[in-house]
């Protein structure tokens, strides 16, 4: 297949009406991608929460030690 034939086939494929199965497949792939992105965001948020919880505990401990030494 030469460049012209390949290009014509590509353009025809883009312009043709998609089947229901093709549309569903595209949406399914998109849903998987969005789920992965949401999981990444949730992991990041959880890590940020844990970091701040540890930080609060550390700072409270330091403040208590400081008050005991003064």
């Amino acid at each position: 297949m030469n460049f012209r034939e390949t290009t014509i086939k590509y353009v025809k494929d883009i312009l043709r009406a998609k089947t229901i199965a093709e549309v569903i497949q595209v949406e399914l792939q998109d849903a998987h991608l969005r789920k992965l992105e949401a999981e990444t965001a949730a992991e990041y948020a959880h890590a940020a929460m844990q970091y701040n919880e540890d930080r609060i505990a550390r700072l409270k401990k330091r403040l208590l030690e400081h008050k005991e030494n003064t």
Side-chain angles (χ1 to χ4, degrees):
M1 197 177 275
N2 63 29
F3 177 76
R4 182 173 180 257
E5 291 169 338
T6 304
T7 303
I8 291 171
K9 183 180 180 300
Y10 175 76
V11 170
K12 282 182 179 180
D13 190 50
I14 289 176
L15 298 177
R16 74 172 174 79
K18 303 295 184 216
T19 65
I20 291 173
E22 290 172 325
V23 172
I24 291 170
Q25 185 63 35
V26 168
E27 286 198 33
L28 183 59
Q29 289 172 339
D30 185 61
H32 280 292
L33 177 60
R34 299 294 174 247
K35 181 178 181 275
L36 288 172
E37 290 171 344
E39 288 171 347
T40 298
E43 290 169 357
Y44 177 83
H46 178 73
M49 287 172 43
Q50 187 62 53
Y51 165 78
N52 282 300
E53 287 173 2
D54 294 346
R55 183 176 172 214
I56 289 167
R58 176 180 53 84
L59 292 170
K60 282 182 176 180
K61 181 181 174 188
R62 290 256 177 103
L63 184 59
L64 183 61
E65 290 171 356
H66 176 73
K67 286 181 179 180
E68 290 173 354
N69 292 332
T70 56

